[in-house]
Amino acid sequence: MLTSVCRETEPGKEEVTLSAGGLDSAANTHVDWLLRDVSEGDVVTIKIITGSFDPPQKARKKPEELVLENKLKYFYRLKEELKEHLREE
């Protein structure tokens, strides 16, 4: 994933990063293989492989409390957004 961030507090400055990662949903773990700053003129080559590959450089589990908290935030945000479409029972 190529990410570009421009902050209002630093006009004209842009941070660009390249990352490769994923989610092991069975283990509820985010994994990262690459996180690197890139800049104008950098060349990125991607090779798709099958079979075994290097283990991730970083893995982080989401605590169950945080997962529940995020789900509740999402629920209440959607409830507010869709309130005109919900019927009271």
Side-chain angles (χ1 to χ4, degrees):
M1 177 184 303
L2 191 62
T3 306
S4 174
V5 177
C6 297
R7 295 183 182 4
E8 288 183 10
T9 57
E10 300 178 62
K13 183 178 179 189
E14 180 180 23
E15 295 175 19
V16 182
T17 56
L18 176 66
S19 61
L23 173 66
D24 178 348
S25 59
N28 196 27
T29 303
H30 292 272
V31 293
D32 297 308
W33 285 276
L34 172 74
L35 179 58
R36 187 167 295 153
D37 291 336
V38 292
S39 57
E40 186 176 343
D42 288 349
V43 175
V44 178
T45 303
I46 298 173
K47 181 179 179 181
I48 307 300
I49 62 171
T50 60
S52 61
F53 44 87
D54 295 338
Q57 296 177 359
K58 184 178 169 185
R60 58 198 184 282
K61 282 191 168 240
K62 273 189 160 181
E64 290 301 316
E65 288 178 9
L66 183 57
V67 171
L68 178 60
E69 181 181 323
N70 287 338
K71 286 180 179 180
L72 285 169
K73 283 181 185 177
Y74 184 62
F75 169 78
Y76 287 116
R77 189 174 79 226
L78 281 176
K79 186 177 176 183
E80 177 64 26
E81 181 181 323
L82 300 172
K83 65 184 173 190
E84 295 174 9
H85 303 283
L86 299 174
R87 48 188 173 116
E88 296 293 322
E89 294 186 32

